[in-house]
Short mmCIF file of all heavy atoms in Angstrom, two decimals:
data_model
loop_
_atom_site.label_atom_id
_atom_site.label_comp_id
_atom_site.label_asym_id
_atom_site.label_seq_id
_atom_site.Cartn_x
_atom_site.Cartn_y
_atom_site.Cartn_z
N ARG P 513 15.33 -10.32 -6.61
CA ARG P 513 14.54 -11.51 -6.24
C ARG P 513 13.28 -11.14 -5.52
O ARG P 513 13.34 -10.42 -4.49
CB ARG P 513 15.34 -12.48 -5.44
CG ARG P 513 14.52 -13.69 -4.96
CD ARG P 513 15.25 -14.62 -4.02
NE ARG P 513 16.41 -15.17 -4.67
CZ ARG P 513 17.21 -15.98 -4.10
NH1 ARG P 513 17.03 -16.38 -2.83
NH2 ARG P 513 18.28 -16.45 -4.71
N THR P 514 12.12 -11.53 -5.99
CA THR P 514 10.85 -11.29 -5.32
C THR P 514 10.36 -12.62 -4.78
O THR P 514 10.26 -13.61 -5.48
CB THR P 514 9.76 -10.79 -6.26
OG1 THR P 514 10.18 -9.52 -6.82
CG2 THR P 514 8.41 -10.60 -5.57
N THR P 515 10.08 -12.64 -3.46
CA THR P 515 9.49 -13.82 -2.80
C THR P 515 8.11 -13.49 -2.30
O THR P 515 7.95 -12.53 -1.54
CB THR P 515 10.38 -14.32 -1.63
OG1 THR P 515 11.69 -14.53 -2.12
CG2 THR P 515 9.82 -15.63 -1.06
N TYR P 516 7.09 -14.20 -2.76
CA TYR P 516 5.75 -13.99 -2.28
C TYR P 516 5.55 -14.81 -1.02
O TYR P 516 5.70 -16.07 -1.03
CB TYR P 516 4.72 -14.39 -3.35
CG TYR P 516 4.63 -13.46 -4.55
CD1 TYR P 516 4.53 -13.95 -5.82
CD2 TYR P 516 4.66 -12.06 -4.35
CE1 TYR P 516 4.41 -13.13 -6.91
CE2 TYR P 516 4.57 -11.20 -5.46
CZ TYR P 516 4.49 -11.74 -6.73
OH TYR P 516 4.35 -10.88 -7.83
N ARG P 517 5.18 -14.15 0.09
CA ARG P 517 4.91 -14.84 1.34
C ARG P 517 3.42 -14.76 1.64
O ARG P 517 2.83 -13.67 1.47
CB ARG P 517 5.66 -14.17 2.49
CG ARG P 517 7.15 -14.15 2.31
CD ARG P 517 7.83 -14.86 3.47
NE ARG P 517 9.07 -14.22 3.83
CZ ARG P 517 10.21 -14.56 3.31
NH1 ARG P 517 10.33 -15.43 2.30
NH2 ARG P 517 11.31 -13.97 3.73
N VAL P 518 2.87 -15.86 2.09
CA VAL P 518 1.38 -15.87 2.31
C VAL P 518 1.04 -16.49 3.69
O VAL P 518 1.81 -17.26 4.24
CB VAL P 518 0.68 -16.72 1.17
CG1 VAL P 518 0.76 -15.94 -0.13
CG2 VAL P 518 1.26 -18.09 1.07
N VAL P 519 -0.09 -16.02 4.21
CA VAL P 519 -0.51 -16.64 5.47
C VAL P 519 -1.22 -17.95 5.16
O VAL P 519 -1.84 -18.14 4.13
CB VAL P 519 -1.50 -15.71 6.29
CG1 VAL P 519 -0.76 -14.47 6.80
CG2 VAL P 519 -2.72 -15.29 5.41
N GLU P 520 -1.11 -18.87 6.15
CA GLU P 520 -1.78 -20.15 5.99
C GLU P 520 -3.25 -19.97 6.17
O GLU P 520 -4.02 -20.59 5.46
CB GLU P 520 -1.22 -21.09 7.08
CG GLU P 520 -1.30 -22.55 6.79
CD GLU P 520 -0.43 -23.31 7.84
OE1 GLU P 520 -0.62 -23.09 9.06
OE2 GLU P 520 0.41 -24.08 7.38
N ASP P 521 -3.66 -19.10 7.10
CA ASP P 521 -5.08 -18.99 7.47
C ASP P 521 -5.40 -17.54 7.79
O ASP P 521 -4.98 -17.01 8.78
CB ASP P 521 -5.41 -19.86 8.63
CG ASP P 521 -6.84 -19.77 9.05
OD1 ASP P 521 -7.62 -19.09 8.36
OD2 ASP P 521 -7.25 -20.48 10.01
N LEU P 522 -6.12 -16.88 6.90
CA LEU P 522 -6.44 -15.47 7.07
C LEU P 522 -7.31 -15.25 8.30
O LEU P 522 -7.36 -14.13 8.83
CB LEU P 522 -7.22 -14.98 5.80
CG LEU P 522 -7.46 -13.49 5.59
CD1 LEU P 522 -6.19 -12.70 5.61
CD2 LEU P 522 -8.23 -13.29 4.32
N ASP P 523 -7.98 -16.24 8.76
CA ASP P 523 -8.90 -16.11 9.95
C ASP P 523 -8.20 -16.33 11.22
O ASP P 523 -8.79 -16.32 12.28
CB ASP P 523 -10.05 -17.12 9.81
CG ASP P 523 -10.91 -16.81 8.57
OD1 ASP P 523 -11.24 -15.64 8.39
OD2 ASP P 523 -11.27 -17.76 7.90
N ASP P 524 -6.85 -16.56 11.16
CA ASP P 524 -6.08 -16.81 12.38
C ASP P 524 -5.12 -15.65 12.56
O ASP P 524 -4.19 -15.50 11.75
CB ASP P 524 -5.29 -18.12 12.21
CG ASP P 524 -4.44 -18.41 13.41
OD1 ASP P 524 -4.44 -17.63 14.35
OD2 ASP P 524 -3.71 -19.46 13.37
N PRO P 525 -5.28 -14.84 13.59
CA PRO P 525 -4.37 -13.69 13.79
C PRO P 525 -2.92 -14.10 14.02
O PRO P 525 -2.01 -13.31 13.79
CB PRO P 525 -4.92 -12.94 15.01
CG PRO P 525 -5.85 -13.91 15.68
CD PRO P 525 -6.36 -14.87 14.62
N ASN P 526 -2.71 -15.34 14.44
CA ASN P 526 -1.36 -15.84 14.61
C ASN P 526 -0.92 -16.81 13.55
O ASN P 526 -0.07 -17.67 13.80
CB ASN P 526 -1.26 -16.50 16.03
CG ASN P 526 -1.61 -15.55 17.11
OD1 ASN P 526 -1.11 -14.44 17.12
ND2 ASN P 526 -2.45 -15.98 18.04
N SER P 527 -1.51 -16.72 12.42
CA SER P 527 -1.24 -17.67 11.32
C SER P 527 0.27 -17.79 11.03
O SER P 527 0.96 -16.74 10.98
CB SER P 527 -2.02 -17.29 10.08
OG SER P 527 -1.59 -18.15 9.01
N ARG P 528 0.68 -18.95 10.68
CA ARG P 528 2.00 -19.19 10.13
C ARG P 528 2.07 -18.48 8.73
O ARG P 528 1.06 -18.40 8.04
CB ARG P 528 2.21 -20.69 9.89
CG ARG P 528 3.59 -21.20 10.06
CD ARG P 528 3.53 -22.70 10.06
NE ARG P 528 3.25 -23.24 8.70
CZ ARG P 528 4.18 -23.35 7.74
NH1 ARG P 528 5.41 -22.95 7.94
NH2 ARG P 528 3.84 -23.81 6.53
N VAL P 529 3.25 -17.98 8.43
CA VAL P 529 3.49 -17.36 7.11
C VAL P 529 4.42 -18.31 6.34
O VAL P 529 5.39 -18.78 6.86
CB VAL P 529 4.11 -15.97 7.21
CG1 VAL P 529 4.59 -15.43 5.90
CG2 VAL P 529 3.09 -15.02 7.87
N GLU P 530 4.12 -18.58 5.11
CA GLU P 530 4.96 -19.48 4.29
C GLU P 530 5.26 -18.89 2.94
O GLU P 530 4.54 -17.97 2.49
CB GLU P 530 4.25 -20.84 4.14
CG GLU P 530 2.89 -20.74 3.44
CD GLU P 530 2.07 -21.98 3.65
OE1 GLU P 530 2.33 -22.82 4.51
OE2 GLU P 530 1.06 -22.15 2.90
N ASP P 531 6.30 -19.42 2.30
CA ASP P 531 6.65 -18.98 0.95
C ASP P 531 5.69 -19.56 -0.05
O ASP P 531 5.42 -20.82 -0.05
CB ASP P 531 8.06 -19.40 0.63
CG ASP P 531 9.09 -18.53 1.34
OD1 ASP P 531 8.70 -17.65 2.08
OD2 ASP P 531 10.33 -18.76 1.09
N LEU P 532 5.20 -18.76 -0.97
CA LEU P 532 4.37 -19.27 -2.07
C LEU P 532 5.24 -19.55 -3.29
O LEU P 532 5.15 -20.63 -3.88
CB LEU P 532 3.31 -18.22 -2.39
CG LEU P 532 2.42 -18.55 -3.56
CD1 LEU P 532 1.45 -19.66 -3.17
CD2 LEU P 532 1.60 -17.30 -3.96
N ALA P 533 6.04 -18.55 -3.66
CA ALA P 533 6.86 -18.71 -4.88
C ALA P 533 7.90 -17.57 -4.90
O ALA P 533 7.70 -16.58 -4.25
CB ALA P 533 6.02 -18.68 -6.14
N ALA P 534 8.99 -17.83 -5.58
CA ALA P 534 10.02 -16.80 -5.72
C ALA P 534 10.50 -16.64 -7.15
O ALA P 534 10.41 -17.66 -7.93
CB ALA P 534 11.24 -17.11 -4.80
#
Side-chain angles (χ1 to χ4, degrees):
R513 176 185 297 181
T514 299
T515 306
Y516 289 139
R517 299 240 215 272
V518 291
V519 290
E520 205 168 52
D521 181 2
L522 190 59
D523 296 316
D524 178 2
N526 301 314
S527 173
R528 213 171 71 81
V529 170
E530 60 196 15
D531 285 1
L532 178 71

